[in-house]
Amino acid sequence: FTHDLQLLVNMVKTGGQSGPPHENDILALIPFGTTFRYDDMFDDPEDPLVDPGLEREIVADVLAWARSALESK
């Protein structure tokens, strides 16, 4: 198992699938797994590091993509 988003995206592409939707947005989240602490994301309410609403939309799109890929197998 891995939490390495870049590795997971590369594995999907190597397997012949297209990459997930919002691939660049997903890869931009990598620092949140190591560099940033989640508590720090909202220190400045005027300039948050992430937009929770946008991130929820991205996750929903990626989950739909994954479900579709699994169901087509």
Side-chain angles (χ1 to χ4, degrees), residues 5-20 65 69:
L5 298 176
Q6 182 69 64
L7 175 63
L8 293 169
V9 168
N10 290 344
M11 288 172 65
V12 166
K13 289 180 168 183
T14 300
Q17 292 281 343
S18 62
W65 166 83

Side-chain angles (χ1 to χ4, degrees), residues 19-33:
H22 310 285
E23 182 177 333
N24 291 334
D25 294 316
I26 293 168
L27 297 179
L29 294 174
I30 290 172
F32 291 96

Side-chain angles (χ1 to χ4, degrees), residues 6 11 13 23 27 31 34 37-38 46-47 51 64 66 73:
Q6 182 69 64
M11 288 172 65
K13 289 180 168 183
E23 182 177 333
L27 297 179
T34 56
R37 299 199 43 94
Y38 290 101
E46 298 297 318
D47 188 23
D51 176 347
K73 294 288 178 188

